[in-house]
């Protein structure tokens, strides 16, 4: 039997320990009693930028120069020296420069007492630069979200598109440091500028830069045209003698550039992809506000036209007393409908907007895990869809009444459309089961597929909404002469008989505890009637309270 010497066992232990420490990702160095390097692993060699052979015997304070801010840590204050001289071991964070790259290191010192009594220091180094970078990124993102929130609130409160643009110019200049901002609506001569545009700048330096730009507006025109052509932010350094940096942001409504925001500085401004992405988000958000304000203006114009027609009609019938009484009564009803519209719209808009505001503020003020964030985002998403559907219904009815609704009639496979609708709403509702009954010989219809899909979406949504206890939703289609009859049947609360004759009128809803709890504007069925009528079909309903309802509509067969 061969017995190894104690020296061989010690060498074997040393080699195993060296191999283990060499494999760890943190840099590890071991000093002697004088603070000179006695051993290090590969990670320390990579950090110091030199091999172990080059560094052995040199002071660790020299091999690892540390900084506190801009001041270098002296040799006597180096963590290794403090541990050896004073016996103080600690974990601290320092700045470090290597190969022209700034890093942030976390150093931990530990004392080691060999048998001969001479103490040495083990130094463990962890590069935490990425942690600080991530914290800085989170801080910048939080500032941007606050800016985006202020942009949304301020532009929503503005009375006009021009006022919204000026408010956003001021907010972006104030937070991002651009001295001068200029905005121009596409409808206000967007291909040129300048005195007709909107400016923001609040210092003598800004006034000088603005005057230079007004004298030579070419850079404004060039930046605005580039942003419109790209449909995304455009940044340039030194675009003219007076301007050191410039950035243009398109304001997008869908794919349409409705305005441009251009920012200027007489000193160089840093810009990266993150800044351009954030500015793009501001342009998109502002575009949504502009689009909404245009829709509001259209509604106001439509309301003004309605008021004008009412006054004219009243004047025409003023000569006849009986006719005048009828006109007064009609006007009273119109005012009641208007009041009901204001109350209904205010309630329906306030509910999803309150949810959106509440959950976004909650997510901005507190940190949540991924599961909670997803739950909140799903609520925000659903409320946004609800708000979008309400606005779309208003706009669609307005287009139909003004004769601006366009239809694209083509061959339509009704059976396939019904199956798609059932699959969609069957996934959304776990309490309902959708059943399809379509004849094998069902002919094709002549219809606008998108509009009939909208009709089915409203009917399926109502079937789910007004049968809160769940049940079967049956969707049927059959040929009836030259027409195709489609029906959607639920097992819900049903409709009182006195309500049915007015059910397909605008803002008409059954007024009871159940319907008030479920909510709605009474626009969906009116929209269905208008779309089906435009196709040459008609709509009706059969219902028994407490048993359920069946809604019908017809479409012409493709000839």
């Amino acid at each position: 039997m061969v017995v190894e010497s104690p020296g061989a066992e010690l060498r074997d232990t040393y080699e195993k320990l060296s191999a283990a420490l060499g494999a760890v990702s943190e840099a590890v160095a071991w000093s002697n009693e004088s603070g000179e390097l006695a051993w290090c692993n590969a990670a320390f060699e990579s950090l110091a930028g030199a091999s172990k052979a080059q560094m052995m015997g040199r002071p660790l304070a020299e091999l690892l120069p540390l900084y506190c801010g801009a001041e270098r840590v002296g040799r006597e204050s180096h963590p290794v020296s403090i541990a050896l001289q004073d016996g103080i071991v600690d974990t601290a964070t320092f700045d470090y420069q290597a190969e022209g790259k700034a890093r942030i290191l976390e150093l931990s010192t530990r004392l080691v007492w060999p048998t001969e009594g001479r103490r040495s220091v083990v130094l463990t180094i962890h590069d935490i630069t990425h942690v600080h970078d991530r914290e800085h990124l989170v801080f910048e993102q939080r500032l941007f979200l606050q800016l985006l929130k202020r942009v949304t609130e301020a532009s929503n409160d503005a009375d006009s598109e021009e006022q919204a643009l000026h408010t956003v110019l001021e907010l972006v200049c104030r937070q991002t440091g651009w001295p001068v901002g200029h905005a121009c609506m596409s409808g206000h001569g967007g291909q040129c500028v300048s005195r007709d545009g909107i400016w923001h700048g609040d210092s003598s330096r800004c006034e000088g830069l603005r005057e230079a730009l007004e004298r030579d507006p070419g850079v404004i025109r060039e930046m605005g045209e580039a942003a419109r052509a790209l449909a995304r932010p455009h940044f340039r350094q030194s675009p003219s003698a007076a301007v050191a940096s410039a950035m243009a942001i398109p304001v997008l409504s869908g794919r349409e550039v409705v305005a441009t925001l251009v920012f200027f500085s007489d000193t160089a401004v840093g810009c990266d992809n993150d800044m351009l992405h954030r500015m793009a988000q501001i342009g998109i958000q502002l575009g949504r506000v502009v689009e909404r304000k245009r829709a509001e203006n259209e509604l106001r114009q439509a309301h003004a036209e309605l008021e004008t027609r009412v006054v004219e009609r009243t004047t025409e019938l003023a000569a006849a007393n009986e006719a005048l009484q009828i006109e007064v009564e009609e006007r009273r009803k119109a005012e009641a409908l208007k009041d009901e519209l204001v109350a209904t719209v205010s309630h329906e808009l306030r509910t999803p907007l309150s949810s959106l505001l509440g959950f976004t503020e909650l997510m901005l003020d507190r940190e949540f895990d991924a599961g909670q964030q997803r739950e909140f985002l799903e609520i925000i998403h659903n409320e946004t869809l609800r708000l979008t559907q309400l606005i779309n219904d208003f706009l669609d009815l307005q287009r139909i009444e003004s004769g601006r609704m366009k239809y694209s009639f083509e061959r339509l496979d009704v059976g396939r459309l019904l199956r798609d609708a059932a699959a969609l709403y069957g996934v959304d509702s776990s309490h309902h089961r959708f059943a399809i009954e379509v004849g094998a010989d069902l002919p094709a219809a002549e219809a606008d597929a998108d509009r009939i899909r909208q009709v089915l979406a409203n009917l399926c949504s109502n079937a789910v909404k007004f049968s809160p206890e769940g049940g079967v939703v049956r969707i049927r289609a059959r040929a009836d002469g030259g027409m195709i009859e489609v029906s959607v049947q639920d097992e819900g609360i049903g409709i009182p008989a006195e309500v049915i004759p007015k059910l397909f009128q605008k803002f008409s809803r059954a007024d009871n505890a159940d319907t008030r709890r479920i909510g709605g504007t009474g626009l969906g069925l009116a929209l269905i009637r208008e779309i089906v009528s435009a196709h040459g079909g008609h709509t009706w309903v059969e219902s028994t309270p407490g048993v359920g309802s069946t809604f019908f509509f017809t479409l012409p067969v493709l000839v």
Side-chain angles (χ1 to χ4, degrees), residues 215-228:
R215 287 194 302 270
D216 182 16
V219 64
I220 307 178
R221 182 166 49 251
E222 177 186 350
M223 294 296 295
E225 290 174 354
R228 280 189 291 272

Side-chain angles (χ1 to χ4, degrees), residues 95-398:
D95 294 328
Y96 176 68
Q97 292 278 346
E99 301 177 350
K101 181 179 179 181
R103 301 185 186 182
I104 302 175
L105 304 181
E106 184 183 79
L107 275 67
S108 297
T109 52
R110 295 293 181 270
L111 284 172
V112 178
W113 295 82
T115 54
E116 60 268 32
R118 296 178 179 178
R119 60 185 175 187
S120 57
V121 175
V122 174
L123 185 64
T124 305
I125 307 164
H126 182 49
D127 190 342
I128 59 172
T129 308
H130 65 285
V131 176
H132 283 256
D133 291 344
R134 187 162 56 247
E135 291 175 351
H136 180 68
L137 178 61
V138 170
F139 177 74
E140 288 185 339
Q141 290 174 340
R142 184 178 294 112
L143 287 179
F144 168 70
L145 289 175
Q146 292 173 350
L147 172 61
L148 191 61
K149 177 183 175 183
R150 286 197 292 269
V151 164
T152 302
E153 293 174 345
S155 53
N156 275 332
D157 293 338
D159 294 329
S160 65
E161 298 173 26
E162 291 79 7
Q163 184 181 350
L165 290 173
H166 186 274
T167 300
V168 173
L169 279 180
E170 182 179 357
L171 287 171
V172 174
C173 286
R174 186 189 306 159
Q175 181 154 324
T176 60
W178 287 95
V180 174
H182 174 274
C184 187
M185 299 293 298
S186 295
H188 295 171
Q191 299 301 325
C192 52
V193 278
S194 61
R195 299 184 186 276
D196 295 332
I198 303 167
W199 290 91
H200 174 73
D202 51 9
S203 69
S204 57
R205 167 190 166 201
C206 297
E207 288 299 321
L209 182 56
R210 173 179 170 177
E211 291 173 1
L213 289 166
E214 289 183 321
R215 287 194 302 270
D216 182 16
V219 64
I220 307 178
R221 182 166 49 251
E222 177 186 350
M223 294 296 295
E225 290 174 354
R228 280 189 291 272
L230 297 171
R232 63 176 182 268
H234 176 62
F235 177 84
R236 280 195 61 190
Q237 294 282 17
S238 305
S240 74
V243 180
S245 302
M247 178 172 63
I249 304 171
V251 179
L252 296 174
S253 176
R255 296 185 177 181
E256 178 189 2
V257 179
V258 297
T260 53
L261 307 179
V262 191
F263 300 91
F264 306 95
S265 176
D266 53 1
T267 59
V269 175
C271 182
D272 54 18
N273 289 332
D274 287 339
M275 174 182 283
L276 293 178
H277 176 72
R278 291 167 183 164
M279 294 300 103
Q281 294 300 311
I282 290 176
I284 293 171
Q285 186 68 14
L286 181 57
R288 292 170 180 158
V289 174
V290 170
E291 181 179 9
R292 182 181 61 78
K293 290 191 176 298
R294 290 184 175 181
E296 291 174 348
N297 187 53
E298 289 181 3
L299 288 175
R300 284 193 296 268
Q301 291 177 354
H303 178 72
E305 292 173 1
L306 176 62
E307 289 291 325
T308 300
R309 288 197 298 268
V310 170
V311 171
E312 292 174 351
R313 184 60 176 165
T314 304
T315 302
E316 292 173 357
L317 298 178
N321 184 54
E322 182 179 355
L324 179 60
Q325 292 177 355
I326 295 174
E327 179 64 23
V328 169
E329 181 64 16
E330 290 179 351
R331 187 164 185 175
R332 186 191 65 78
K333 292 179 180 179
E335 290 296 327
L337 284 175
K338 183 181 70 175
D339 293 340
E340 183 179 355
L341 166 63
V342 172
T344 303
V345 172
S346 298
H347 173 74
E348 292 299 322
L349 289 178
R350 188 182 298 112
T351 300
L353 286 175
S354 297
S355 296
L356 292 174
L357 180 62
F359 282 99
T360 50
E361 287 181 344
L362 186 60
M363 294 180 69
L364 288 173
D365 292 339
R366 294 175 55 191
E367 296 289 337
F368 296 95
D369 58 37
Q372 290 175 311
Q373 289 182 10
R374 181 172 183 83
E375 178 183 353
F376 291 164
L377 289 174
E378 286 177 352
I379 294 173
I380 293 172
H381 177 71
N382 291 334
E383 291 298 324
T384 303
L385 292 178
R386 176 182 172 187
L387 187 60
T388 301
Q389 184 61 47
L390 173 63
I391 295 173
N392 287 340
D393 284 349
F394 275 116
L395 294 179
D396 284 342
L397 276 173
Q398 182 59 37

Side-chain angles (χ1 to χ4, degrees), residues 76-87:
E76 296 300 320
S77 302
H78 197 277
V80 174
S81 302
I82 292 175
L84 289 171
Q85 296 169 6
D86 303 327

